[in-house]
Amino acid sequence: MPQSDTVNRRLVLAARPRGLPTPAHFRLEEGAVPAPAEGQVLLRTLYLSLDPYMRQLMDEVAPIYAASVPLGQPMVGGTVNRVVASKHPRFRAGELVLGNAGWQDYALSDGQDLMPLGEMARPSLALGALGMPAFTAHVGLLDIGQPRPGETVVVAAATGAVGAMVGQIARLKGARVVGIAGGADKCRHAVDVLGFDACLDRHDPALAERLAAACPKGIDVYFENVGGPVFDAVLPLFNIGARVPVCGHIADYNADGETQGTNRLPLLMASLLQKRIRMQGFVILDHYGERFEAFRREMGDWIERGEVRPMEDIVEGLEHAPAGFIGLLQGRNFGKRVVRVADEN
């Protein structure tokens, strides 16, 4: 279903899910393309980012750092856009920008949330390896994890948008990197392409034993973005003074009511105390003003020199965004999942 010059397709939140979303929780609507008022720009969406945090915003009570998506309104999301028309002094028609147009073909903006991108050979990277996921990896690992040469760094969802970047940055800093991923193909990619020292299948019933064998000197840094049974396997292996950046816990995002499973709190509290562990949550929105440009320069240099390899998982067509998002929550993505909404021109 190609993008139209006159029709604005929007994928809106039709109902609030309990547990894993289904296609019935989204509704495709069509309307007229809006016209910009004075001080506004009209954006055409080229690429749409799909990210786990969007699941939390589908709930009536969302995380304190963002508002819930209202029923009947477009799902939120980062986007790469072309400026179609501008009545704003800082933007011109034809310009490529990073925005937040959400799950729709066209959107209006007052310019406050837009970042000029210039012309990029791969504009979609602004949503992944040169955007929020890699920035999350960069800030969390280097500010909180602070890996030192020879230390052991473990990261779950190792071939996901954030985890793949965490492992590659840790490798550049001289650490030994152990990934955890969903399936043999992903684990092979982490080792053979991304340069991890080892990668384990999270579905393996013997994960805890295999992780202990892969980390004979214990774990110095664990980048937490999953939670659940993976954290159960990691927790006993922390060294004294371990650091744990926490950017997410996707294993719990689709929980229907109370999170089920083992009560980890007593062991966690004892481990934090006895092993002097630093476990710190962070929200990447807090760091854009002071850090983002420096990150983009450093990451751009690493990519240009071939020291970091971007991973993208492209979904074709806005109408397939719901299926792509549901698959992301099930761990079916291989790299940063991005929807190609329209051609770049």
Side-chain angles (χ1 to χ4, degrees):
M1 188 183 300
Q3 194 177 67
S4 166
D5 292 335
T6 57
V7 176
N8 183 29
R9 297 173 302 167
R10 312 187 322 157
L11 277 160
V12 305
L13 180 62
R16 298 199 185 280
R18 297 198 63 177
L20 183 70
T22 71
H25 293 107
F26 307 90
R27 183 173 65 249
L28 182 63
E29 298 181 344
E30 294 185 352
V33 175
E38 200 63 38
Q40 291 184 320
V41 295
L42 174 62
L43 304 173
R44 180 169 66 92
T45 303
L46 306 182
Y47 293 97
L48 165 67
S49 178
L50 297 180
D51 299 286
Y53 78 86
M54 296 172 179
R55 171 60 186 87
Q56 296 179 291
L57 304 191
M58 297 175 75
D59 294 333
E60 192 166 14
V61 179
I64 60 173
Y65 60 82
S68 296
V69 177
L71 290 174
Q73 292 300 307
M75 285 288 293
V76 299
T79 51
V80 171
N81 303 91
R82 285 279 183 200
V83 176
V84 177
S86 177
K87 293 187 177 180
H88 193 292
R90 291 200 298 114
F91 299 96
R92 69 183 189 282
E95 192 171 358
L96 192 68
V97 296
L98 181 66
N100 295 284
W103 296 28
Q104 55 186 339
D105 284 321
Y106 295 92
L108 297 174
S109 171
D110 63 5
Q112 294 188 35
D113 62 340
L114 301 183
M115 177 182 297
L117 292 175
E119 290 304 314
M120 301 177 63
R122 292 173 62 182
S124 57
L125 292 185
L127 300 173
L130 291 172
M132 182 271 289
F135 188 37
T136 300
H138 192 273
V139 169
L141 182 66
L142 299 184
D143 283 20
I144 302 171
Q146 299 180 1
R148 294 182 282 269
E151 289 190 326
T152 296
V153 173
V154 173
V155 58
T159 58
V162 175
M165 306 308 287
V166 169
Q168 293 183 85
I169 296 170
R171 186 200 68 217
L172 288 173
K173 298 300 178 180
R176 183 173 183 273
V177 182
V178 177
I180 301 171
D185 289 344
K186 291 182 177 181
C187 287
R188 277 193 295 270
H189 187 89
V191 173
D192 296 344
V193 178
L194 304 183
F196 285 47
D197 293 281
C199 189
L200 309 175
D201 187 349
R202 67 179 176 87
H203 300 298
D204 191 332
L207 174 62
E209 293 81 3
R210 294 188 185 281
L211 183 62
C215 304
K217 296 182 179 180
I219 295 173
D220 300 293
V221 180
Y222 172 55
F223 196 102
E224 175 62 289
N225 55 4
V226 170
V230 172
F231 187 72
D232 290 343
V234 169
L235 182 55
L237 302 177
F238 284 132
N239 288 329
I240 291 175
R243 289 83 67 197
V244 187
V246 181
C247 77
H249 50 103
I250 192 173
D252 300 322
Y253 289 176
N254 294 309
D256 186 358
E258 292 291 327
T259 301
Q260 302 298 313
T262 304
N263 179 8
R264 304 174 182 86
L265 186 58
L267 178 58
L268 175 60
M269 295 299 289
S271 299
L272 290 174
L273 172 64
Q274 296 168 14
K275 295 185 177 179
R276 286 80 96 189
I277 296 167
R278 178 166 60 139
M279 189 172 189
Q280 180 177 335
F282 70 103
V283 175
I284 198 59
L285 295 175
D286 298 338
H287 301 274
Y288 271 85
E290 60 189 31
R291 297 283 299 280
F292 189 68
E293 285 306 319
F295 149 76
R296 276 177 61 90
R297 287 193 297 271
E298 183 169 42
M299 183 59 68
D301 289 342
W302 285 339
I303 292 173
E304 186 175 353
R305 294 197 297 264
E307 295 174 329
V308 168
R309 296 191 178 190
M311 293 179 59
E312 289 188 299
D313 186 345
I314 302 294
V315 174
E316 296 289 349
L318 179 64
E319 66 274 19
H320 295 129
F325 178 59
I326 294 166
L328 170 71
L329 295 176
Q330 296 174 314
R332 296 179 184 173
N333 61 302
F334 206 139
K336 169 61 188 165
R337 182 153 281 190
V338 175
V339 180
R340 193 194 327 267
V341 179
D343 292 337
E344 295 172 12
N345 296 326

